[in-house]
Amino acid sequence: MSSKSRHVISMAIQKPSFEGPAGSIKHVDVENLSILRRLSLRHLVLAPGGVREPHWHANANELGYCIRGTALITIAANHSERASFLVNAGDMFFVPSGAMHCIANWGSDTAEFILGFSHEKPEDFGMHASFAAMSDSVLGNTYDLPAEALSHFDRSTPGRKMFTLGKGPDVEEQAHHINSFKYSVEATPPQIDFRAGTAHTSKAALWPILRDIAMFSVRISGVGMREPHWHPDTAEMGYVVAGKARMTILDPDGTTDTYILGPGDSYFIPRAYPHHIENLGDEACHFLIFFDQTSPGDIGYRTLINVFSREVIAATLGLADSELPAFPLTEIDPLLVARINTVDAVN
């Protein structure tokens, strides 16, 4: 079992890229996990009254999941499109690349988010820096104001990142209504629901606004396992919310990488690399699994065994036909399977 894997990093022990009274931001991108392609994660914590400044990402769509708390999301998109809505634990939001957005803690408790991006190194622009980059005259002309009306603006270009409001942000009535940029993923019935676990999915078929990214909220029960599988046209990046699990991944050179995952860990699996996840505890494991496609595909071992003749399978595995067990016929892959054997020893 690998003690240090090129596929895994702990978000929990990462040093925040920003930290202050308003909250903190941690990154897992190509700078600290070099294998990443087309996906990255951030962990955002907002103290009561904390605000992530209005900003946008030049090269990445953003898909956020609220772990706890309540926040107001405000988005300014193309052609003066505007959206403002509240999210609570289990809600998600989507922000297209280039759309300015703000995340403001609206509750009395800390708010926590996992943010997925459709690029391994998202580029950020903040409102503070974008105003500081323009002269007083240019801003004055923009707003029909004399230049001196803007002469007291702070001209330092590094963004403020986060700040604290004296009171909670103003919330309009529309913020309580349905919005196309919001999806209450945990409030919907799970698309997969077995004794082995459940999966709530946010993908294009259910949330058409998505672009280049999707996410599954997967819970593997104490008797469950995510069967060995691979995704033919999408990479996978996961974050462990709760539980203890073991994952094995096969690399193209024939080596295997087996590692233990716990709360705060992140992992990355390139396109079409076979892997599996097994719960090592009695309680359910909860994973947030991001994909770099809006409709991720899946090829599982369970149905794969029925595609080829027994003769081909036996010869491939170096067995006589009589030595091959009677594999069950499975027409639709279950993705999650119940564990009927004892857990392999943890080395």
Side-chain angles (χ1 to χ4, degrees), residues 9-19 22-29 32 40-47 52 62-68 93 103 110-117 122 162 237 239-241 263-266 288 290:
I9 190 171
S10 174
M11 183 86 80
I13 65 173
Q14 293 302 302
K15 183 179 179 180
S17 59
F18 179 91
E19 188 171 25
S24 64
I25 305 172
K26 294 182 178 180
H27 293 64
V28 171
D29 57 32
N32 52 15
S40 58
L41 296 178
R42 294 181 184 177
H43 180 247
L44 172 66
V45 175
L46 289 172
R52 174 71 171 99
E62 177 178 339
L63 185 57
Y65 179 96
C66 181
I67 294 178
R68 61 185 172 123
F93 61 90
I103 307 171
T110 298
E112 181 181 2
F113 298 85
I114 292 297
L115 309 174
F117 298 89
M162 300 169 71
M237 188 172 187
Y239 175 84
V240 184
V241 179
D265 285 343
S266 299
L288 304 180
F290 293 82

Side-chain angles (χ1 to χ4, degrees), residues 44-239:
L44 172 66
V45 175
L46 289 172
V51 179
R52 174 71 171 99
E53 77 154 316
H55 65 286
W56 68 95
H57 309 287
N59 61 347
N61 299 305
E62 177 178 339
L63 185 57
Y65 179 96
C66 181
I67 294 178
R68 61 185 172 123
T70 302
L72 177 69
I73 313 296
T74 303
I75 301 172
N78 275 329
H79 305 299
S80 301
E81 181 181 7
R82 181 179 178 276
S84 183
F85 52 88
L86 291 170
V87 294
N88 297 289
D91 289 338
M92 300 189 69
F93 61 90
F94 175 74
V95 183
S97 178
M100 181 180 281
H101 56 290
C102 174
I103 307 171
N105 187 341
W106 192 64
S108 57
D109 298 319
T110 298
E112 181 181 2
F113 298 85
I114 292 297
L115 309 174
F117 298 89
S118 61
H119 197 280
E120 65 273 13
K121 184 61 178 174
E123 296 174 341
D124 294 11
F125 287 94
M127 174 182 277
H128 180 275
S130 66
F131 272 63
M134 305 301 165
S135 70
D136 296 344
S137 293
V138 167
L139 290 175
N141 293 338
T142 301
Y143 296 108
D144 296 326
L145 293 170
E148 55 268 23
L150 301 129
S151 60
H152 60 286
F153 276 32
D154 180 5
R155 291 294 168 181
S156 58
T157 53
R160 295 185 66 193
K161 298 291 187 184
M162 300 169 71
F163 52 86
T164 302
L165 293 177
K167 63 180 185 65
D170 293 333
V171 177
E172 302 171 0
E173 179 60 32
Q174 66 172 6
H176 299 274
H177 299 164
I178 294 173
N179 193 283
S180 61
F181 290 101
K182 173 184 173 181
Y183 183 58
S184 298
V185 63
E186 301 290 0
T188 64
Q191 284 68 47
I192 297 169
D193 191 358
F194 299 125
R195 186 170 72 96
T198 62
H200 292 80
T201 65
S202 59
K203 54 184 180 179
L206 301 170
W207 196 6
I209 200 171
L210 293 181
R211 287 185 236 155
D212 300 325
I213 195 168
M215 195 214 76
F216 290 8
S217 176
V218 177
R219 291 172 175 83
I220 304 174
S221 76
V223 296
M225 188 182 81
R226 177 67 170 100
E227 66 162 319
H229 65 286
W230 66 89
H231 308 286
D233 60 355
T234 181
E236 171 181 329
M237 188 172 187
Y239 175 84

